[in-house]
Amino acid sequence: MKEQADDQPRRAAHAAATTRPAGRGSGPAAGSQRQANPARDGMALGLAVGTSGLAFGAAAVSSGLSPAQACVLSLLTFTGASQFALAGAAATGGLAAGVAGAVLLGSRNTLYGLRLAGLLQVRGPGRLLAAQGVIDETTAIALAQPTPAAARTGFRATFATLYLTWNLATLVGAVGAGKLGSPQTYGLDVVGPAAFLALIWPRLRAGRTERGVALLGAAIALAATPFLPPGVPVILAATAALAGALMTPVPEPGTGPAPGPVPR
């Protein structure tokens, strides 16, 4: 009996030494984190959407802007919807209405900035550069990440890739507008919407509320398009998200889904 009693501490020590503790490298959660690659996802989205700058460059030159003006607009504005609205207004002579529509379309980036400010944790002069990168694509990638660090990585990768691709594509589209023909001929005008559909598809499959919000937003935009200037239907469609938020019950503490990324 004494030998068995003396052997128990040795067995316990051996078990403790050979047992692999559960940590970051174990469990299904860790496996899903290893699969997440915000830099890869951001670069893929940036390359896909950035090619639509060809369409903007060609449209800007066709509307009367010079290639230099089109390139400066992409460098400083860097928000496709506003740029297309301004180019379209320049083609019809309604520059004041075009500027108003561009500002209205770009105003949504202000709301994105409020959401991302605490998540990105940018300080000093870098805030100006980060503000330039707050657009639809960077916001979507950042908010889809499981941790704040991954969100920052995704934001930077998407911003850098999309900014470079968009501006290079604008230059090529503006210079070659007369030689390449209309970018719509090559289907480049659908790259952006297709990329967004792929981005939100997992959320559309998540539940009826998500699908209801998407359908309501599409219905609002389609109904308003014949009567309102460009940009306004998109802003109105965002009210569908408010309806979805009101319809979603607030979960009890400890029973709801895991929260998204929160600022540290």
Side-chain angles (χ1 to χ4, degrees), residues 171-184:
L171 176 61
V172 173
V175 173
K179 300 178 182 179
L180 297 176
S182 174
Q184 284 80 359

Side-chain angles (χ1 to χ4, degrees), residues 187-240:
L188 295 177
D189 54 320
V190 303
V191 171
F196 266 102
L197 181 59
L199 192 65
I200 67 173
W201 186 254
R203 292 187 178 273
L204 295 180
R205 299 178 59 185
R208 290 182 296 178
T209 301
E210 288 78 0
R211 290 190 290 271
V213 168
L215 291 174
L216 180 58
I220 293 173
L222 290 174
T225 296
F227 309 103
L228 297 174
V232 178
V234 177
I235 302 298
L236 290 179
T239 58

Side-chain angles (χ1 to χ4, degrees), residues 154-184:
F155 176 88
R156 292 169 187 147
T158 309
F159 177 28
T161 307
L162 182 51
Y163 190 81
L164 292 175
T165 308
W166 175 264
N167 280 280
L168 288 175
T170 297
L171 176 61
V172 173
V175 173
K179 300 178 182 179
L180 297 176
S182 174
Q184 284 80 359

Side-chain angles (χ1 to χ4, degrees), residues 30-81:
S32 62
Q33 288 183 1
R34 284 195 298 268
Q35 295 175 0
N37 193 327
R40 177 199 60 198
D41 296 342
M43 292 176 65
L45 182 62
L47 289 172
V49 178
T51 56
S52 59
L54 288 168
F56 169 72
V61 172
S62 301
S63 65
L65 298 179
S66 68
Q69 289 173 327
C71 291
V72 169
L73 196 58
S74 283
L75 284 169
L76 300 181
T77 306
F78 188 55
T79 172

